[in-house]
Amino acid sequence: QKAIAVMTSGGDAPGMNSNVRAIVRSAIFKGCRAFVVMEGYEGLVRGGPEYIKEFHWEDVRGWSAEGGTNIGTARCMEFKKREGRLLGAQHLIEAGVDALIVCGGDGSLTGADLFRSEWPSLIEELLKTDRISKEQYERMKHLNICGTVGSIDNDMSTTDATIGAYSALDRICKAIDYVEATANSHSRAFVVEVMGRNCGWLALLAGIATSADYIFIPEKPATSSEWQDQMCDIVSKHRSRGKRTTIVVVAEGAIAADLTPISPSDVHKVLVDRLGLDTRITTLGHVQRGGTAVAYDRILATLQGLEAVNAVLESTPDTPSPLIAVNENKIVRKPLMESVKLTKAVAEAIQAKDFKRAMSLRDTEFIE
Ligand code: ADP
């Protein structure tokens, strides 16, 4: 009987609980034992029944409607070192787990792929140092790893949507609607900073959905005189036509053409100094990750959880670790390491000001 474990790692995202629920129940439905690793890689490094727990059908009851991740997530420095991964391997083997599904962002999935590629040498060392038996060694020669992408940023290449992104987008739009009401009353301008790290997806889509006056995203930097002139022209035009509100959305990773960050206070200063607008800054912060998942994320996470279990059951030592993606509404498998490499290449291309390459790598001509 196979034993499949799931963990959530990196930044939390709404919908992770639906993913865990689907993985636990699909595993049990397919005749496997299901485990959860608490607190991400931290739980692997610490090990024992407190951190690597067997889960039953009822243990995930009602989880689809709950935000965050009930099995905890953490950032774990020890797992970045070989000694931490060695402990992780030992603890998985002690728990009798033979497949691991990681729901997280690119960092977590890089860790997962490294863990799998190192696995033969890790278990060799565990055997040599008598930390596992010959029997355990023979049984666990191969570790199945699979990734599902949980991230509010929607920053992973090769998938159209990450679990949590649409929930965060929905929350941002609602918050901007609230701000819009008070802006209208006082005829004010609001500069709204939204999350997304070096990806502008949340800012761009929230800006479009709320018909913001101006949007800053890392993928489209401008020189300061370019953006200042353009933003002031647009805002003045809207105001001259009777608009009482001004909403400017700034992605947290927004940058100018010289790659220096554009902060909400830079934008605030221009709106005040050049247009004389009564301007406030609103930083949405962690509200964006909180609350329950929208229906789309629950469904995406459920379908991807089922597919992740299928993928680990079908995987062989020769197949690369899969990442469960969604492409044009179909749940598909992609090579995990390729997807992570592409995602990192996008970030590097943005840093190198090669935006054309960044866009083509990210697979979205939409922004252009
Ligand atoms: P995210 O998964 O959201 O991108 P992080 O980048 O913080 O979040 O990664 C989460 C955790 O994954 C880290 O705390 C670490 O334990 C593990 N991890 C990240 N990168 C690596 C790596 N290169 N090697 C091993 N583990 C890693």
Side-chain angles (χ1 to χ4, degrees), residues 259-301:
L259 300 186
T260 54
I262 295 178
S263 71
S265 52
D266 298 334
V267 179
H268 175 274
K269 191 169 175 350
V270 174
L271 292 171
V272 172
D273 292 355
R274 285 188 49 176
L275 300 179
L277 291 172
D278 181 3
T279 308
R280 304 293 152 104
I281 295 175
T282 299
T283 302
L284 299 181
H286 285 76
V287 166
Q288 296 164 84
R289 342 180 68 98
T292 58
V294 295
Y296 177 81
D297 276 328
R298 300 181 196 194
I299 293 161
L300 180 70

Side-chain angles (χ1 to χ4, degrees), residues 9-11 41 75-76 79-80 85 104-108 110-111 114 197:
S9 174
Y41 290 118
R75 297 215 147 92
C76 173
F79 198 77
K80 290 193 169 178
R85 295 190 292 275
D106 60 342
S108 306
T110 305
L114 179 62
R197 293 204 286 187

